[in-house]
Amino acid sequence: MKINGENVAAFCGTVWDYLEQHNYQMERVAVEYNGEILQRAQYQLVILQPDDVLEIVSFVGGG
C-alpha cells in the first residue's frame, strides 16, 4: 500500500478507519483513492487493499 508517496504496511479496514486511527480530522481532509477523489460518504464504504494508493491532504486554517 502506498500513502502520500510512501510505501506502508497493508492496513485492514476502511479509509475511514485509517483516517481515524491516524488522527485525521475528517472535516479537514481530502482523499484521493487510486487516482479518484473520494466523497466523504465513501470513506466508510471503501475497504483498503494491499495494492491501493492513497493521497491524503489536510486543510489548515489560519489567519
Side-chain angles (χ1 to χ4, degrees), residues 11-22 26 43-44:
F11 181 82
C12 184
T14 64
V15 171
W16 181 276
D17 296 334
Y18 181 87
L19 295 172
E20 195 170 60
Q21 184 172 334
H22 290 86
M26 301 301 179
Y43 293 178
Q44 292 180 328

Side-chain angles (χ1 to χ4, degrees), residues 2-61:
K2 190 174 268 194
I3 298 179
N4 292 339
E6 296 190 23
N7 290 321
V8 298
F11 181 82
C12 184
T14 64
V15 171
W16 181 276
D17 296 334
Y18 181 87
L19 295 172
E20 195 170 60
Q21 184 172 334
H22 290 86
N23 299 316
Y24 284 96
Q25 293 181 340
M26 301 301 179
E27 64 279 354
R28 293 186 177 257
V29 297
V31 178
E32 181 182 285
Y33 171 76
N34 296 330
E36 301 281 329
I37 300 295
L38 285 181
Q39 299 297 318
R40 191 166 290 126
Q42 296 173 296
Y43 293 178
Q44 292 180 328
L45 303 175
V46 175
I47 298 171
L48 295 171
Q49 303 297 317
D51 59 341
D52 285 338
V53 177
L54 290 180
E55 292 293 329
I56 304 168
V57 178
S58 293
F59 301 103
V60 179

